[in-house]
Amino acid sequence: EMFTSMAHLQTALYAERDIALTLRQYIDMEEKRLEKLKSIANDFASHSNEALKNPDGTLGNPVSAFLYVKRFTLDWDKDIEPILQNNTFTTMLQQIKFLKQDLPTYEDLSGAAAALLRLQDTYQLDTAKIASGELGKTKCAELSANDCYEIGRLSYNDEDFYHTTLWMQEAIERIQADINSTLSKSTVLDYLAFALYRQGNIQHALSLTNELLKIDPYHERARNNRGYYQRMIKEESKSRKMGDDGEGIAQEIKNKRHIDDYRNSNEFLTYESLCRGERTQKVKDEEKLSCRYKHNNHPLLLLRPAKEEDVHLDPWIVIYHDAMLDGEIQTIKQIATPKLNRATVQNAKTGALETANYRISKSAWLKDDDDEVVHRVNKRIEAITGLTLKTAEELQIANYGLGGHYEPHFDFARKEEKDAFKSLGTGNRIATFLFYMSDVEAGGATVFPYIGVKLFPKKGAAAFWYNLYKSGEGIYNTRHAACPVLVGVKWVSNKWIHERGQEFLRPCGKKFEE
Ligand SMILES: O=C(O)CCC(=O)C(=O)O
Ligand SMILES: [Fe+2]
């Protein structure tokens, strides 16, 4: 699939260009061929026209007769048949089929729709606002009534009646606003009425079904549903002992988002509001934060010290400004792009690596000797952190896709997790060094829901934090997430630094939490 990374979605643009070229070539050739066929037709028409005026005279002359017969045998095979047969349609079709391999698929369509719904939820966006394309700084393409209807239908097929309701309502708005819309209102009403019923709005379901039946009186399902809704309403009012005939009384529409327990948890709701840039809690010791130049007496940093800025003190999270140069970023993106693969997560129970909807991005791993730039960047991380990268994982490059995100997680392995890093023999992930390799127009922050910290990507900057105390115990407050990218493209790269080899660089602490 390609929607999980912007870099791969972009390759579709080239395929689209090449399809246009192939079609143009085919049309040119076909136009030339049709010109020839036209002149053959004209020739036949004028010849028969003349000949039919005097058939005996024409065929009675043996020379004319000879030429006439030759015309449909020798001449036909030589001049006409090739033009009739020379149809390059099948070849063109094959070429397009080949190019189409680089175009999005139905899997991408549902991924793209899921991304829109995720962004709508996380950033609390109005359906109308999304549909009008007013997300970024510049207004882009708009969704038609039919587009909204298709999004509603994808939600409906997932039994997500909350989003079905929102998007079918928007489809109706857009049918009314667009006289050219080919979408029939009754089709949308059919879905909307049922979704509203499933969301607990029987009255509304009934009144929309009545509206549908006004447009299409013989709609069978609607007639059945009408009876069903009427009975439901009667029974309900009987049990409430109210004489209500159940005909369309205006009520507020109920449309609650049905989400699982986790997405309803404090952690998740805090994560979402931090993504929106809201301040969720008092950030501890915020007034004590400061920034400094730092060179650690390291030759790499003497002339160009690290610009270290505290973001949080306990746990300590810092930002290094201008930690990666534009040229370095460009090189790293370039060598990583062909290596990008859908990012996986480790199943805590089985230990297996698998893809998951809570992590939507593609990533690549770059070795120290893949390029001089990778080596230089690795050396810089060592100089800044004072840690060794001998036991670190390779540099991971991530490119987020449509609405790409990574829900709250720990970078370190907890004791109960199945031998997460055991096979590496390098211990747990002691620290994370995370470079931002792009600005992101909207969304895409890295947020820490337990401590109320939010970091918005800034090209060239890097975040750094320890995941473990000196005792080796995990720091649970480092739980963090990558918010969905709302507008723009997000590239990051990170180095997960491991415990082994740091024994003298970051000696063991005496206390549990130190
Ligand atoms: O992309 C980000 O902002 C964070 C990524 C992250 O947490 C991870 O890859 O482990
Ligand atoms: Fe992480």
Side-chain angles (χ1 to χ4, degrees), residues 22-38 82-92:
T22 308
L23 279 173
R24 284 247 165 79
Q25 272 168 4
Y26 168 71
I27 292 165
D28 278 352
M29 270 161 65
E30 200 58 2
E31 271 173 354
K32 285 198 188 102
R33 191 172 77 97
L34 291 177
E35 280 307 315
K36 284 183 198 153
L37 285 177
K38 244 188 244 169
I83 302 173
L84 284 176
Q85 295 290 342
N86 183 21
N87 189 331
T88 51
F89 184 74
T90 350
T91 322
M92 182 271 295

PDB file of all heavy atoms in Angstrom, residues 22-38 82-92:
ATOM      1  N   THR A  22       1.118   8.044 -22.420  1.00  0.00           N
ATOM      2  CA  THR A  22       0.735   6.845 -23.179  1.00  0.00           C
ATOM      3  C   THR A  22      -0.584   7.083 -23.904  1.00  0.00           C
ATOM      4  O   THR A  22      -0.726   6.750 -25.077  1.00  0.00           O
ATOM      5  CB  THR A  22       0.579   5.657 -22.209  1.00  0.00           C
ATOM      6  OG1 THR A  22       1.764   5.558 -21.432  1.00  0.00           O
ATOM      7  CG2 THR A  22       0.357   4.359 -22.952  1.00  0.00           C
ATOM      8  N   LEU A  23      -1.539   7.675 -23.192  1.00  0.00           N
ATOM      9  CA  LEU A  23      -2.850   7.939 -23.805  1.00  0.00           C
ATOM     10  C   LEU A  23      -2.712   8.915 -24.971  1.00  0.00           C
ATOM     11  O   LEU A  23      -3.289   8.714 -26.036  1.00  0.00           O
ATOM     12  CB  LEU A  23      -3.817   8.504 -22.766  1.00  0.00           C
ATOM     13  CG  LEU A  23      -4.479   7.472 -21.851  1.00  0.00           C
ATOM     14  CD1 LEU A  23      -5.283   8.173 -20.764  1.00  0.00           C
ATOM     15  CD2 LEU A  23      -5.385   6.539 -22.655  1.00  0.00           C
ATOM     16  N   ARG A  24      -1.902   9.960 -24.773  1.00  0.00           N
ATOM     17  CA  ARG A  24      -1.705  10.957 -25.836  1.00  0.00           C
ATOM     18  C   ARG A  24      -1.131  10.309 -27.090  1.00  0.00           C
ATOM     19  O   ARG A  24      -1.602  10.552 -28.192  1.00  0.00           O
ATOM     20  CB  ARG A  24      -0.726  12.040 -25.360  1.00  0.00           C
ATOM     21  CG  ARG A  24      -1.343  13.007 -24.411  1.00  0.00           C
ATOM     22  CD  ARG A  24      -1.425  14.412 -25.064  1.00  0.00           C
ATOM     23  NE  ARG A  24      -2.323  15.243 -24.302  1.00  0.00           N
ATOM     24  CZ  ARG A  24      -1.978  15.839 -23.158  1.00  0.00           C
ATOM     25  NH1 ARG A  24      -0.749  15.710 -22.690  1.00  0.00           N
ATOM     26  NH2 ARG A  24      -2.865  16.574 -22.506  1.00  0.00           N
ATOM     27  N   GLN A  25      -0.092   9.465 -26.892  1.00  0.00           N
ATOM     28  CA  GLN A  25       0.545   8.784 -28.023  1.00  0.00           C
ATOM     29  C   GLN A  25      -0.475   7.937 -28.763  1.00  0.00           C
ATOM     30  O   GLN A  25      -0.558   7.937 -29.984  1.00  0.00           O
ATOM     31  CB  GLN A  25       1.679   7.885 -27.520  1.00  0.00           C
ATOM     32  CG  GLN A  25       2.999   8.602 -27.418  1.00  0.00           C
ATOM     33  CD  GLN A  25       4.022   7.767 -26.655  1.00  0.00           C
ATOM     34  OE1 GLN A  25       3.743   6.631 -26.279  1.00  0.00           O
ATOM     35  NE2 GLN A  25       5.176   8.337 -26.406  1.00  0.00           N
ATOM     36  N   TYR A  26      -1.271   7.204 -27.990  1.00  0.00           N
ATOM     37  CA  TYR A  26      -2.284   6.335 -28.581  1.00  0.00           C
ATOM     38  C   TYR A  26      -3.290   7.167 -29.383  1.00  0.00           C
ATOM     39  O   TYR A  26      -3.619   6.844 -30.515  1.00  0.00           O
ATOM     40  CB  TYR A  26      -2.993   5.536 -27.488  1.00  0.00           C
ATOM     41  CG  TYR A  26      -4.226   4.830 -27.982  1.00  0.00           C
ATOM     42  CD1 TYR A  26      -4.117   3.728 -28.829  1.00  0.00           C
ATOM     43  CD2 TYR A  26      -5.493   5.274 -27.617  1.00  0.00           C
ATOM     44  CE1 TYR A  26      -5.248   3.087 -29.301  1.00  0.00           C
ATOM     45  CE2 TYR A  26      -6.623   4.643 -28.096  1.00  0.00           C
ATOM     46  CZ  TYR A  26      -6.497   3.541 -28.939  1.00  0.00           C
ATOM     47  OH  TYR A  26      -7.614   2.930 -29.407  1.00  0.00           O
ATOM     48  N   ILE A  27      -3.719   8.272 -28.781  1.00  0.00           N
ATOM     49  CA  ILE A  27      -4.714   9.115 -29.459  1.00  0.00           C
ATOM     50  C   ILE A  27      -4.150   9.689 -30.750  1.00  0.00           C
ATOM     51  O   ILE A  27      -4.810   9.665 -31.797  1.00  0.00           O
ATOM     52  CB  ILE A  27      -5.212  10.232 -28.518  1.00  0.00           C
ATOM     53  CG1 ILE A  27      -6.029   9.604 -27.384  1.00  0.00           C
ATOM     54  CG2 ILE A  27      -6.042  11.263 -29.256  1.00  0.00           C
ATOM     55  CD1 ILE A  27      -6.271  10.523 -26.206  1.00  0.00           C
ATOM     56  N   ASP A  28      -2.885  10.135 -30.699  1.00  0.00           N
ATOM     57  CA  ASP A  28      -2.242  10.661 -31.920  1.00  0.00           C
ATOM     58  C   ASP A  28      -2.254   9.622 -33.034  1.00  0.00           C
ATOM     59  O   ASP A  28      -2.628   9.905 -34.169  1.00  0.00           O
ATOM     60  CB  ASP A  28      -0.782  11.051 -31.639  1.00  0.00           C
ATOM     61  CG  ASP A  28      -0.700  12.429 -31.007  1.00  0.00           C
ATOM     62  OD1 ASP A  28      -1.751  13.091 -30.955  1.00  0.00           O
ATOM     63  OD2 ASP A  28       0.393  12.806 -30.558  1.00  0.00           O
ATOM     64  N   MET A  29      -1.802   8.407 -32.686  1.00  0.00           N
ATOM     65  CA  MET A  29      -1.719   7.341 -33.684  1.00  0.00           C
ATOM     66  C   MET A  29      -3.100   7.002 -34.221  1.00  0.00           C
ATOM     67  O   MET A  29      -3.294   6.813 -35.424  1.00  0.00           O
ATOM     68  CB  MET A  29      -1.070   6.096 -33.075  1.00  0.00           C
ATOM     69  CG  MET A  29       0.441   6.114 -33.243  1.00  0.00           C
ATOM     70  SD  MET A  29       1.295   5.021 -32.131  1.00  0.00           S
ATOM     71  CE  MET A  29       0.736   3.447 -32.658  1.00  0.00           C
ATOM     72  N   GLU A  30      -4.030   6.933 -33.319  1.00  0.00           N
ATOM     73  CA  GLU A  30      -5.396   6.559 -33.701  1.00  0.00           C
ATOM     74  C   GLU A  30      -6.013   7.653 -34.584  1.00  0.00           C
ATOM     75  O   GLU A  30      -6.711   7.350 -35.545  1.00  0.00           O
ATOM     76  CB  GLU A  30      -6.197   6.315 -32.424  1.00  0.00           C
ATOM     77  CG  GLU A  30      -7.448   5.500 -32.566  1.00  0.00           C
ATOM     78  CD  GLU A  30      -7.259   4.101 -33.151  1.00  0.00           C
ATOM     79  OE1 GLU A  30      -6.113   3.682 -33.442  1.00  0.00           O
ATOM     80  OE2 GLU A  30      -8.280   3.449 -33.342  1.00  0.00           O
ATOM     81  N   GLU A  31      -5.711   8.910 -34.269  1.00  0.00           N
ATOM     82  CA  GLU A  31      -6.254  10.000 -35.086  1.00  0.00           C
ATOM     83  C   GLU A  31      -5.735   9.919 -36.511  1.00  0.00           C
ATOM     84  O   GLU A  31      -6.488  10.101 -37.476  1.00  0.00           O
ATOM     85  CB  GLU A  31      -5.922  11.358 -34.459  1.00  0.00           C
ATOM     86  CG  GLU A  31      -6.995  11.792 -33.462  1.00  0.00           C
ATOM     87  CD  GLU A  31      -6.627  13.049 -32.683  1.00  0.00           C
ATOM     88  OE1 GLU A  31      -5.474  13.542 -32.840  1.00  0.00           O
ATOM     89  OE2 GLU A  31      -7.479  13.525 -31.929  1.00  0.00           O
ATOM     90  N   LYS A  32      -4.418   9.598 -36.640  1.00  0.00           N
ATOM     91  CA  LYS A  32      -3.827   9.458 -37.982  1.00  0.00           C
ATOM     92  C   LYS A  32      -4.501   8.309 -38.724  1.00  0.00           C
ATOM     93  O   LYS A  32      -4.812   8.402 -39.906  1.00  0.00           O
ATOM     94  CB  LYS A  32      -2.328   9.224 -37.878  1.00  0.00           C
ATOM     95  CG  LYS A  32      -1.587  10.497 -37.532  1.00  0.00           C
ATOM     96  CD  LYS A  32      -0.091  10.390 -37.848  1.00  0.00           C
ATOM     97  CE  LYS A  32       0.626  11.611 -37.314  1.00  0.00           C
ATOM     98  NZ  LYS A  32       1.348  11.341 -36.056  1.00  0.00           N
ATOM     99  N   ARG A  33      -4.710   7.205 -38.007  1.00  0.00           N
ATOM    100  CA  ARG A  33      -5.315   6.027 -38.618  1.00  0.00           C
ATOM    101  C   ARG A  33      -6.754   6.349 -39.071  1.00  0.00           C
ATOM    102  O   ARG A  33      -7.178   5.986 -40.162  1.00  0.00           O
ATOM    103  CB  ARG A  33      -5.343   4.895 -37.591  1.00  0.00           C
ATOM    104  CG  ARG A  33      -5.706   3.529 -38.162  1.00  0.00           C
ATOM    105  CD  ARG A  33      -5.522   2.459 -37.109  1.00  0.00           C
ATOM    106  NE  ARG A  33      -6.596   2.455 -36.148  1.00  0.00           N
ATOM    107  CZ  ARG A  33      -7.642   1.633 -36.223  1.00  0.00           C
ATOM    108  NH1 ARG A  33      -7.714   0.752 -37.192  1.00  0.00           N
ATOM    109  NH2 ARG A  33      -8.587   1.695 -35.323  1.00  0.00           N
ATOM    110  N   LEU A  34      -7.467   7.065 -38.227  1.00  0.00           N
ATOM    111  CA  LEU A  34      -8.855   7.396 -38.566  1.00  0.00           C
ATOM    112  C   LEU A  34      -8.914   8.328 -39.766  1.00  0.00           C
ATOM    113  O   LEU A  34      -9.816   8.211 -40.596  1.00  0.00           O
ATOM    114  CB  LEU A  34      -9.569   8.025 -37.361  1.00  0.00           C
ATOM    115  CG  LEU A  34      -9.826   7.056 -36.199  1.00  0.00           C
ATOM    116  CD1 LEU A  34     -10.460   7.782 -35.020  1.00  0.00           C
ATOM    117  CD2 LEU A  34     -10.716   5.892 -36.641  1.00  0.00           C
ATOM    118  N   GLU A  35      -7.897   9.222 -39.878  1.00  0.00           N
ATOM    119  CA  GLU A  35      -7.827  10.084 -41.066  1.00  0.00           C
ATOM    120  C   GLU A  35      -7.738   9.226 -42.323  1.00  0.00           C
ATOM    121  O   GLU A  35      -8.420   9.472 -43.315  1.00  0.00           O
ATOM    122  CB  GLU A  35      -6.611  11.017 -40.989  1.00  0.00           C
ATOM    123  CG  GLU A  35      -6.806  12.256 -40.115  1.00  0.00           C
ATOM    124  CD  GLU A  35      -8.061  13.030 -40.504  1.00  0.00           C
ATOM    125  OE1 GLU A  35      -8.285  13.242 -41.717  1.00  0.00           O
ATOM    126  OE2 GLU A  35      -8.831  13.390 -39.578  1.00  0.00           O
ATOM    127  N   LYS A  36      -6.863   8.215 -42.259  1.00  0.00           N
ATOM    128  CA  LYS A  36      -6.685   7.332 -43.421  1.00  0.00           C
ATOM    129  C   LYS A  36      -7.980   6.585 -43.713  1.00  0.00           C
ATOM    130  O   LYS A  36      -8.393   6.465 -44.865  1.00  0.00           O
ATOM    131  CB  LYS A  36      -5.562   6.327 -43.162  1.00  0.00           C
ATOM    132  CG  LYS A  36      -4.176   6.944 -43.286  1.00  0.00           C
ATOM    133  CD  LYS A  36      -3.106   5.874 -43.102  1.00  0.00           C
ATOM    134  CE  LYS A  36      -1.774   6.504 -42.777  1.00  0.00           C
ATOM    135  NZ  LYS A  36      -0.920   5.595 -42.001  1.00  0.00           N
ATOM    136  N   LEU A  37      -8.625   6.082 -42.668  1.00  0.00           N
ATOM    137  CA  LEU A  37      -9.872   5.348 -42.860  1.00  0.00           C
ATOM    138  C   LEU A  37     -10.936   6.256 -43.471  1.00  0.00           C
ATOM    139  O   LEU A  37     -11.719   5.835 -44.296  1.00  0.00           O
ATOM    140  CB  LEU A  37     -10.368   4.773 -41.522  1.00  0.00           C
ATOM    141  CG  LEU A  37      -9.596   3.546 -41.009  1.00  0.00           C
ATOM    142  CD1 LEU A  37     -10.133   3.106 -39.654  1.00  0.00           C
ATOM    143  CD2 LEU A  37      -9.694   2.390 -41.997  1.00  0.00           C
ATOM    144  N   LYS A  38     -10.906   7.525 -43.035  1.00  0.00           N
ATOM    145  CA  LYS A  38     -11.867   8.485 -43.580  1.00  0.00           C
ATOM    146  C   LYS A  38     -11.664   8.624 -45.086  1.00  0.00           C
ATOM    147  O   LYS A  38     -12.618   8.605 -45.858  1.00  0.00           O
ATOM    148  CB  LYS A  38     -11.660   9.853 -42.916  1.00  0.00           C
ATOM    149  CG  LYS A  38     -12.856  10.303 -42.083  1.00  0.00           C
ATOM    150  CD  LYS A  38     -12.659  11.735 -41.613  1.00  0.00           C
ATOM    151  CE  LYS A  38     -12.557  11.780 -40.111  1.00  0.00           C
ATOM    152  NZ  LYS A  38     -12.104  13.090 -39.591  1.00  0.00           N
ATOM    153  N   PRO A  82      -4.173  -3.495 -43.616  1.00  0.00           N
ATOM    154  CA  PRO A  82      -3.243  -3.072 -42.538  1.00  0.00           C
ATOM    155  C   PRO A  82      -3.786  -1.894 -41.724  1.00  0.00           C
ATOM    156  O   PRO A  82      -3.603  -1.859 -40.507  1.00  0.00           O
ATOM    157  CB  PRO A  82      -1.984  -2.660 -43.301  1.00  0.00           C
ATOM    158  CG  PRO A  82      -2.063  -3.336 -44.612  1.00  0.00           C
ATOM    159  CD  PRO A  82      -3.521  -3.470 -44.935  1.00  0.00           C
ATOM    160  N   ILE A  83      -4.449  -0.997 -42.398  1.00  0.00           N
ATOM    161  CA  ILE A  83      -4.970   0.157 -41.650  1.00  0.00           C
ATOM    162  C   ILE A  83      -6.123  -0.270 -40.745  1.00  0.00           C
ATOM    163  O   ILE A  83      -6.246   0.171 -39.608  1.00  0.00           O
ATOM    164  CB  ILE A  83      -5.430   1.263 -42.627  1.00  0.00           C
ATOM    165  CG1 ILE A  83      -4.249   1.679 -43.504  1.00  0.00           C
ATOM    166  CG2 ILE A  83      -5.970   2.463 -41.869  1.00  0.00           C
ATOM    167  CD1 ILE A  83      -4.633   2.645 -44.603  1.00  0.00           C
ATOM    168  N   LEU A  84      -6.950  -1.185 -41.268  1.00  0.00           N
ATOM    169  CA  LEU A  84      -8.063  -1.673 -40.444  1.00  0.00           C
ATOM    170  C   LEU A  84      -7.548  -2.419 -39.219  1.00  0.00           C
ATOM    171  O   LEU A  84      -8.068  -2.276 -38.115  1.00  0.00           O
ATOM    172  CB  LEU A  84      -8.953  -2.616 -41.266  1.00  0.00           C
ATOM    173  CG  LEU A  84      -9.877  -1.965 -42.282  1.00  0.00           C
ATOM    174  CD1 LEU A  84     -10.623  -3.044 -43.072  1.00  0.00           C
ATOM    175  CD2 LEU A  84     -10.887  -1.064 -41.577  1.00  0.00           C
ATOM    176  N   GLN A  85      -6.513  -3.212 -39.436  1.00  0.00           N
ATOM    177  CA  GLN A  85      -6.008  -4.064 -38.352  1.00  0.00           C
ATOM    178  C   GLN A  85      -5.083  -3.323 -37.393  1.00  0.00           C
ATOM    179  O   GLN A  85      -4.907  -3.738 -36.259  1.00  0.00           O
ATOM    180  CB  GLN A  85      -5.233  -5.260 -38.931  1.00  0.00           C
ATOM    181  CG  GLN A  85      -6.070  -6.228 -39.733  1.00  0.00           C
ATOM    182  CD  GLN A  85      -7.029  -7.012 -38.859  1.00  0.00           C
ATOM    183  OE1 GLN A  85      -6.847  -7.078 -37.653  1.00  0.00           O
ATOM    184  NE2 GLN A  85      -8.065  -7.571 -39.463  1.00  0.00           N
ATOM    185  N   ASN A  86      -4.463  -2.245 -37.908  1.00  0.00           N
ATOM    186  CA  ASN A  86      -3.425  -1.605 -37.114  1.00  0.00           C
ATOM    187  C   ASN A  86      -4.007  -0.817 -35.950  1.00  0.00           C
ATOM    188  O   ASN A  86      -3.843   0.378 -35.832  1.00  0.00           O
ATOM    189  CB  ASN A  86      -2.581  -0.696 -38.011  1.00  0.00           C
ATOM    190  CG  ASN A  86      -1.448  -0.074 -37.235  1.00  0.00           C
ATOM    191  OD1 ASN A  86      -1.071  -0.612 -36.186  1.00  0.00           O
ATOM    192  ND2 ASN A  86      -0.925   1.025 -37.711  1.00  0.00           N
ATOM    193  N   ASN A  87      -4.656  -1.536 -35.074  1.00  0.00           N
ATOM    194  CA  ASN A  87      -5.226  -0.889 -33.908  1.00  0.00           C
ATOM    195  C   ASN A  87      -4.303  -1.182 -32.721  1.00  0.00           C
ATOM    196  O   ASN A  87      -4.076  -2.328 -32.374  1.00  0.00           O
ATOM    197  CB  ASN A  87      -6.618  -1.461 -33.662  1.00  0.00           C
ATOM    198  CG  ASN A  87      -7.331  -0.664 -32.612  1.00  0.00           C
ATOM    199  OD1 ASN A  87      -6.690  -0.098 -31.742  1.00  0.00           O
ATOM    200  ND2 ASN A  87      -8.640  -0.628 -32.692  1.00  0.00           N
ATOM    201  N   THR A  88      -3.749  -0.129 -32.133  1.00  0.00           N
ATOM    202  CA  THR A  88      -2.768  -0.333 -31.067  1.00  0.00           C
ATOM    203  C   THR A  88      -3.437  -0.339 -29.686  1.00  0.00           C
ATOM    204  O   THR A  88      -2.780  -0.221 -28.668  1.00  0.00           O
ATOM    205  CB  THR A  88      -1.698   0.777 -31.117  1.00  0.00           C
ATOM    206  OG1 THR A  88      -2.378   2.025 -31.164  1.00  0.00           O
ATOM    207  CG2 THR A  88      -0.798   0.617 -32.310  1.00  0.00           C
ATOM    208  N   PHE A  89      -4.741  -0.497 -29.703  1.00  0.00           N
ATOM    209  CA  PHE A  89      -5.505  -0.444 -28.458  1.00  0.00           C
ATOM    210  C   PHE A  89      -5.009  -1.435 -27.400  1.00  0.00           C
ATOM    211  O   PHE A  89      -4.798  -1.072 -26.249  1.00  0.00           O
ATOM    212  CB  PHE A  89      -6.982  -0.693 -28.766  1.00  0.00           C
ATOM    213  CG  PHE A  89      -7.872  -0.562 -27.584  1.00  0.00           C
ATOM    214  CD1 PHE A  89      -8.174   0.690 -27.065  1.00  0.00           C
ATOM    215  CD2 PHE A  89      -8.396  -1.683 -26.961  1.00  0.00           C
ATOM    216  CE1 PHE A  89      -8.991   0.814 -25.959  1.00  0.00           C
ATOM    217  CE2 PHE A  89      -9.206  -1.566 -25.845  1.00  0.00           C
ATOM    218  CZ  PHE A  89      -9.504  -0.313 -25.352  1.00  0.00           C
ATOM    219  N   THR A  90      -4.796  -2.680 -27.788  1.00  0.00           N
ATOM    220  CA  THR A  90      -4.385  -3.695 -26.822  1.00  0.00           C
ATOM    221  C   THR A  90      -3.020  -3.372 -26.231  1.00  0.00           C
ATOM    222  O   THR A  90      -2.807  -3.540 -25.024  1.00  0.00           O
ATOM    223  CB  THR A  90      -4.307  -5.091 -27.483  1.00  0.00           C
ATOM    224  OG1 THR A  90      -4.876  -4.995 -28.767  1.00  0.00           O
ATOM    225  CG2 THR A  90      -5.030  -6.119 -26.663  1.00  0.00           C
ATOM    226  N   THR A  91      -2.123  -2.886 -27.095  1.00  0.00           N
ATOM    227  CA  THR A  91      -0.794  -2.520 -26.608  1.00  0.00           C
ATOM    228  C   THR A  91      -0.904  -1.400 -25.574  1.00  0.00           C
ATOM    229  O   THR A  91      -0.303  -1.451 -24.506  1.00  0.00           O
ATOM    230  CB  THR A  91       0.068  -1.990 -27.784  1.00  0.00           C
ATOM    231  OG1 THR A  91      -0.232  -2.754 -28.927  1.00  0.00           O
ATOM    232  CG2 THR A  91       1.532  -2.043 -27.445  1.00  0.00           C
ATOM    233  N   MET A  92      -1.709  -0.398 -25.925  1.00  0.00           N
ATOM    234  CA  MET A  92      -1.892   0.736 -25.016  1.00  0.00           C
ATOM    235  C   MET A  92      -2.472   0.255 -23.695  1.00  0.00           C
ATOM    236  O   MET A  92      -2.027   0.634 -22.611  1.00  0.00           O
ATOM    237  CB  MET A  92      -2.821   1.741 -25.695  1.00  0.00           C
ATOM    238  CG  MET A  92      -3.108   3.005 -24.931  1.00  0.00           C
ATOM    239  SD  MET A  92      -4.506   2.879 -23.838  1.00  0.00           S
ATOM    240  CE  MET A  92      -5.851   2.651 -24.963  1.00  0.00           C
TER     241      MET A  92
END
